[in-house]
Amino acid sequence: MRTEDVRQHLTTPLTSPAYAPLIPRFTDREYLNIVYRTDLDAVRAVVPEPLRVEEPLVRFEVMKMGDVSGYGPYTEAGQAIPVSFDGEQGEYLHAMYLDNFPATASGREVAAYPKVIGSPSLYVDSGAVVGTLDHGSLRVATATMGYKHHELDRREAEAQITVPTFMLKTVPGYDGMPRVQELVRTRITDLTVKGAWTGPARLQLFQHVLAPLADLPVLEVVSASHILTDLTLSGVEPVHDYLKGGASS
């Protein structure tokens, strides 16, 4: 294979890429969001500077992807932390677990999503929306919300989903030190909210050394939402370079 041909391949393995080279479109992406209050010192300990934590809040989310171009259906769960950066309000993606390897690989390699393999699920059971996350054979999280108890204003649902998202991108060099270490930002675009509801909710987190969601303990459930959407994820842009000690150009 000629050098110019090698340069056209952006994924590994070279001739059997782990994921499709495209910008995925999400159809019937269903969210269960539980916002809860946690320990301020615990949340500050996991959010990297220069992001700022103003309130000790965490959003636990379970997302069921009805159809995704390039990947097919899958389910994802994780934690996002409200933060600010240079006065802009957004969320820091702290942890993401999903049951689809191509989506895991592309999320980490192309962007900076903190994705690892897990076993999340989202379903309705006896009048409740139920979101769970397992790591191996062990339960890590269980979230429940009353099914469609109250309509949620779709503009509010859109505002919840479209806040800027910050992530930490680290690419190691062959000497074991970071070759790239940047704070990046992205957001959701082309959003259509197809349904949105709220209701009473509960969340349990269980201790697991390889899925430490419970390190951000649930002190109080603040709000909950169940939202059905179509959307696209935009690309990422670097906003801070840790190796250079300042903003990225």
Side-chain angles (χ1 to χ4, degrees):
M1 186 179 294
R2 297 176 301 176
T3 296
E4 55 266 32
D5 295 326
V6 172
R7 289 174 177 166
Q8 299 303 311
H9 293 261
L10 302 179
T11 66
T12 56
L14 181 64
T15 58
S16 56
Y19 51 87
L22 51 77
I23 298 175
R25 175 67 177 171
F26 294 78
T27 303
D28 291 335
R29 178 167 172 162
E30 184 178 7
Y31 288 82
L32 172 60
N33 297 308
I34 311 288
V35 176
Y36 68 91
R37 194 173 306 280
T38 191
D39 180 79
L40 181 59
D41 290 336
V43 77
R44 282 178 170 166
V46 298
V47 173
E49 294 180 333
L51 297 176
R52 296 178 59 87
V53 175
E54 297 173 354
E55 289 190 81
L57 298 177
V58 179
R59 182 172 62 86
F60 174 76
E61 62 179 3
V62 183
M63 297 172 288
K64 185 176 183 180
M65 320 300 182
D67 182 68
V68 188
S69 54
Y71 308 126
Y74 65 93
T75 308
E76 184 171 322
Q79 290 170 311
I81 300 170
V83 295
S84 64
F85 175 75
D86 285 346
E88 180 181 38
Q89 302 299 311
E91 288 184 330
Y92 171 67
L93 290 187
H94 174 54
M96 307 179 82
Y97 302 85
L98 56 160
D99 56 7
N100 182 296
F101 177 73
T104 302
S106 67
R108 287 200 310 229
E109 294 180 18
V110 176
Y113 293 95
K115 296 187 175 188
V116 296
I117 292 293
S119 299
S121 64
L122 181 61
Y123 57 95
V124 177
D125 180 41
S126 298
V129 185
V130 179
T132 65
L133 173 62
D134 294 347
H135 189 285
S137 62
L138 299 179
R139 179 57 46 89
V140 175
T142 299
T144 56
M145 177 185 133
Y147 181 68
K148 296 186 178 181
H149 279 205
H150 308 287
E151 290 275 354
L152 179 65
D153 184 273
R154 296 195 179 189
R155 290 169 297 181
E156 181 179 343
E158 181 175 339
Q160 288 184 21
I161 293 172
T162 56
V163 297
T165 298
F166 297 93
M167 301 170 286
L168 181 62
K169 175 77 169 185
T170 298
V171 179
Y174 298 111
D175 59 359
M177 301 299 291
R179 179 183 291 187
V180 174
Q181 195 161 58
E182 296 176 328
L183 185 70
V184 303
R185 176 177 53 207
T186 187
R187 67 187 314 149
I188 285 170
T189 61
D190 300 328
L191 173 68
T192 300
V193 175
K194 303 166 80 172
W197 304 270
T198 187
R202 300 291 187 272
L203 174 62
Q204 293 175 286
L205 301 178
F206 305 94
Q207 297 284 352
H208 194 299
V209 66
L210 299 182
L213 280 74
D215 286 1
L216 302 178
V218 180
L219 302 183
E220 176 192 11
V221 171
V222 175
S223 64
S225 59
H226 175 208
I227 305 172
L228 182 63
T229 67
D230 296 340
L231 57 87
T232 301
L233 298 178
S234 62
V236 301
E237 58 172 339
V239 296
H240 182 83
D241 191 325
Y242 290 91
L243 302 183
K244 295 179 181 179
S248 296
S249 56

